[in-house]
Every structure is written in structure tokens, then in C-alpha cells.
DNA sequence: GTCTATAGTTGGATAGAC
DNA sequence: GTCTATCCAACTATAGAC
């Protein structure tokens, strides 16, 4: 029973402090944003001292960046994987617009790629925390993937200016961020508290909304 | 020249302190959110003491609420006015879906209703500041107007469940909030810094996007 | 209605022991 | 790698003078 004596703590506590700090920070930053979250709140959640966080991450801003990076990377990988799969399955004309939009939007909404609330809300902070804190990182995390998707969309919207396509994708990002951020007023609940829509149904409808909207906004006032 | 001696300050300084505080608070809350804004930053902008703000508004939270209320009310009035105008112009079948969506989305985007950046961004904080601070006010400010628009949409989408329509409108709100919040990565600038799209053009395309998306999301998996 | 002064917290970050 | 202790700055809110 040496093993038991050496690991008396529950599994969650045996993970490296650095990762436990990232987990706690992710949850708090997701719920309260950068300014609304203190390093102390993070370290008290984990049960370590403030200086432990500063040792591992250097500053509060770097801690936020680390949480955002950790979460954005699997989302982007899933986006690319979905897009490549759609391209492999499609003929030489390339995948349908709906499939491209699906590949971009669904990963941020999938519990297989992103943890449940409240941590899922974290990526919305990339768009609501102050620009000095998140703008450069946002470009770094989203720029390349997004250009890849604009490329794909150009093939199904031949002749349309790239800027119009990018604007349409920006609209789609807006819908996604709003839903991921979970500050809804309108999505109704049934009177007994059961939601009217499952998460998967919301995602399906969101994708239908964005795909149709993208087509229409790009066709808008077409010359 | 008694008048001159009695009013030596520029016009901006002659407005009541309460309103100058609201103006400064609006700009700072819009840019930095609730937690990222201090009462001191607001009062220093105006050039009064901290206790002046607490005298007029009671607390930081009440100050935020006052700024949000002041800005939301004209937007809602414009929404209702636009909707009623569309209803008056339409036949007995009621206005087109596009006109309804336009009436809901355009006011928050119009410089005739809302001041320019950064203050225009304020209403996006209704969806990114902590729920304890904004959720109840959000329902108060948006609930009634939005139900009115769901009513109007039910007439052009006969037979569709109200919940589906509300979800579609929630998607549209997401696009609007994202654009009003001004944290874009994708909308491209020309290399010389001139934006590709004017504000009006973005609004037009946003409305085309949302209207088409709403139709598609409500039609989605229709039984 | 606005001020000064201050109470009482909380914050980010670092020094230095272990 | 984690701690305690500490610095110092900034914060919200209020009391009380004018």
C-alpha cells in the first residue's frame, strides 16, 4: 500500500498544479471576464498561493492567454479536420457551402471538442475582453484558420469579392459567439424548466441560419 | 458681460453633472465593461469627485444601469416606430419578414439613434457583462419589444412554433451584438486603411444575412 | 450638489525562505 | 515548485463639512 500512501488525494488533485490552475482560470475567466477575475480567486479555487500562479504564468494576462490558447487549438484542429473531410468526400467542385459553414461553426459548439458550461463560454471572451488584452491573440488564433475557410468559400461563391465573403463569415462568427457566450434572453424554456431545444438542435438551426444568411449577404446587391 | 462671467466654461461643461457623468460612464463601460471600469475613471474624466457619482447614482451598478437604460430606450422606440411604419405601409397580410428584421436590427446600428464608437458599443455589454449585473435589466429592456417582434414574425411565418421564431431572432441578435461590439477580426480593411465597407453597407448586408437566416432556421427540419 | 477625508477591502506582483 | 510575508496601488462607499 505504498502506492496508496503516496497518492491519498483524489485524482483531480493529483494533476499538475499548472493544469489545475488553467482549469480554474478557464472557468472564472469564462464566467466573469478578464477584469472580473482575480488571480486570488483562481488560486483559492485550486488551493495554492498567489505566487504559484505567477510562477507558472508570469502575469494575469499571460494566464488568460494560456487558457485561450489551450481551448482554441482543439477547436481549430476540429475545424480543419471537418473541412478536409468535407473536401475529401466532395467531388472536384468542392464541398457545399453548408458543409463549410458546418465545419467552421460546429466545433465550438460540440461537447466532444469543448467542455460544458461554464467553460465553454471562454472563447466568447476573445470578443468581449478589452482589445489590448485579446485582439492580438485573437488574430493569432483565428487568422490562419479563417483565411483557409474563406478560401474554401471562394470556390462555392465564384466571382464574389473575397471581402464580401469574409464579411459574411464575420456575421456567422457573431451568431456563434453569441450562443457560446450563453447570455440569451429569447430562447424560451418550457414552463417546467425543460429547454425547448437541445444543444444539438440549436447547433443545427444555427448552422442553417448562418449558411443561408451567408449566401444571401454575399448575393446582396450583387452587381 | 455678466452672462460671460457667469458661463465661462465650454458648452460641454455647462451640462448637468449627472449627464456628464452618464456620458463618461457610457464611454468607459462600453470600452472596458463593468468590472474593467472604475468609478474613479468616470469621475476623473468629468472632473468631479467620486462622491458626486455616488450621490447621483448610488452605486457603480446603478450607474451602469442608468447608462444602459438611457441608450436602450431610443433604440426600442425606433424599433417600434419602424415596425409600425412597416405595418401601416403593408397590406392586411402584414409586412414582409425582411422589413420586420430590418426594423429590429437597424436602430442599434444607426448613427441617428445611437452615438458613434466607442459609445455605440455599450449595448453589447448587455450580453457580455456578468449576468448578476445585466441579466435582469436585459430582460426588462428587451423582453417586451422582442415579444412584439415575435408576434409580427408569427404572422409571416404562419404555423411555425413561437419558440422556433424566438430562437431565430436570437440568432439575429447575435449578429447584431457582434457587430455593435466592434471586435472584428475578419472584416478587411483596404491596405491604405480605408474600410472596404461603409457602416450602412454593413448594416444592409447584416439585415440580408439575418432575414435569410431566420427564414432558413425556422424552415429547418420543418415537419 | 459637491467637496475632502477616510474607512475598509481587494488587487497584482515580488522577495526570499524552504 | 510552492510557500509566507509584504509592498503598494487602486478600489467602493460613506461621513460630514460647506
Amino acid at each position: 500500500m505504498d502506492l496508496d500512501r503516496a497518492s491519498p488525494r483524489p485524482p483531480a488533485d493529483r494533476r499538475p498544479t499548472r493544469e489545475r490552475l488553467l482549469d480554474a482560470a478557464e472557468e472564472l475567466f469564462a464566467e466573469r471576464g478578464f477584469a472580473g477575475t482575480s488571480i486570488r480567486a483562481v488560486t483559492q479555487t485550486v488551493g495554492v498561493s498567489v505566487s504559484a500562479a505567477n510562477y507558472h504564468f508570469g502575469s494575469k494576462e499571460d494566464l488568460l492567454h494560456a487558457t485561450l490558447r489551450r481551448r482554441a487549438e482543439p477547436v481549430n484542429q476540429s475545424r480543419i479536420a471537418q473541412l478536409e473531410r468535407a473536401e475529401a468526400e466532395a467531388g472536384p467542385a468542392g464541398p457545399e457551402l453548408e458543409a463549410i459553414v458546418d465545419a467552421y461553426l460546429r466545433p465550438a459548439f460540440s461537447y466532444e471538442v469543448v467542455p460544458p458550461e461554464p467553460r465553454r463560454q471562454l472563447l466568447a471572451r476573445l470578443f468581449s475582453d478589452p482589445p489590448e488584452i485579446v485582439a492580438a491573440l485573437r488574430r493569432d488564433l483565428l487568422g490562419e484558420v479563417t483565411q483557409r475557410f474563406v478560401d474554401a468559400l471562394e470556390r462555392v461563391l465564384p466571382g464574389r469579392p473575397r471581402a464580401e465573403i469574409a464579411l459574411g463569415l464575420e456575421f456567422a462568427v457573431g451568431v456563434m459567439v453569441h450562443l457560446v457566450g450563453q447570455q440569451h434572453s429569447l430562447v424560451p424554456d418550457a414552463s417546467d424548466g425543460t429547454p425547448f431545444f437541445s444543444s444539438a438542435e440549436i447547433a443545427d438551426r444555427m448552422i442553417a441560419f448562418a449558411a443561408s444568411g451567408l449566401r444571401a449577404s454575399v448575393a446582396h446587391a450583387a452587381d
Side-chain angles (χ1 to χ4, degrees), chain A:
Chain A
M1 305 309 172
D2 274 340
L3 261 172
D4 276 351
R5 288 216 308 277
S7 54
R9 288 174 299 185
D13 279 345
R14 305 214 44 240
R15 306 184 45 239
T17 295
R18 192 191 144 87
E19 293 191 16
R20 292 165 59 214
L21 284 169
L22 277 178
D23 291 342
E26 176 171 33
E27 180 157 337
L28 289 166
F29 282 137
E31 285 184 310
R32 311 157 93 77
F34 179 74
T37 301
S38 67
I39 294 188
R40 296 178 125 83
V42 174
T43 55
Q44 282 170 20
T45 302
V46 173
V48 298
S49 71
V50 176
S51 34
N54 276 311
Y55 169 79
H56 283 290
F57 298 100
S59 75
K60 182 181 168 182
E61 184 170 338
D62 288 335
L63 174 57
L64 174 69
H65 289 180
T67 67
L68 287 168
R69 259 184 210 289
R70 184 180 68 155
R71 201 49 65 202
E73 266 153 21
V75 171
N76 282 338
Q77 282 169 17
S78 176
R79 282 174 172 149
I80 295 294
Q82 297 266 89
L83 180 59
E84 285 176 350
R85 200 162 73 100
E87 284 172 338
E89 285 173 359
E96 299 283 334
L97 183 141
E98 279 72 13
I100 301 170
V101 170
D102 195 311
Y104 194 85
L105 296 183
R106 196 177 295 274
F109 223 75
S110 158
Y111 291 122
E112 289 157 33
V113 180
V114 162
E117 274 80 27
R119 286 157 65 185
R120 201 187 69 168
Q121 300 170 233
L122 178 72
L123 289 181
R125 294 295 170 191
L126 224 33
F127 298 88
S128 58
D129 274 329
E132 323 88 77
I133 310 289
V134 296
L137 183 66
R138 185 175 61 229
R139 275 188 293 275
D140 187 33
L141 294 177
L142 297 180
E144 198 180 334
V145 198
T146 304
Q147 292 310 314
R148 175 84 172 78
F149 274 80
V150 177
D151 292 344
L153 288 166
E154 272 189 313
R155 296 184 60 195
V156 284
L157 297 165
R160 303 313 307 164
R162 195 172 170 85
E164 292 184 9
I165 295 171
L167 182 61
L169 192 53
E170 184 82 64
F171 296 154
V173 168
V175 186
M176 180 197 72
V177 168
H178 183 66
L179 293 172
V180 163
Q182 282 285 322
Q183 295 242 60
H184 312 147
S185 315
L186 309 182
V187 183
D189 281 357
S191 45
D192 59 0
T194 317
F196 256 92
F197 301 104
S198 70
S199 177
E201 195 172 357
I202 291 177
D204 288 344
R205 287 179 184 273
M206 169 190 74
I207 289 161
F209 181 98
S212 174
L214 182 49
R215 261 187 222 285
S217 82
V218 169
H220 184 259
D223 40 358

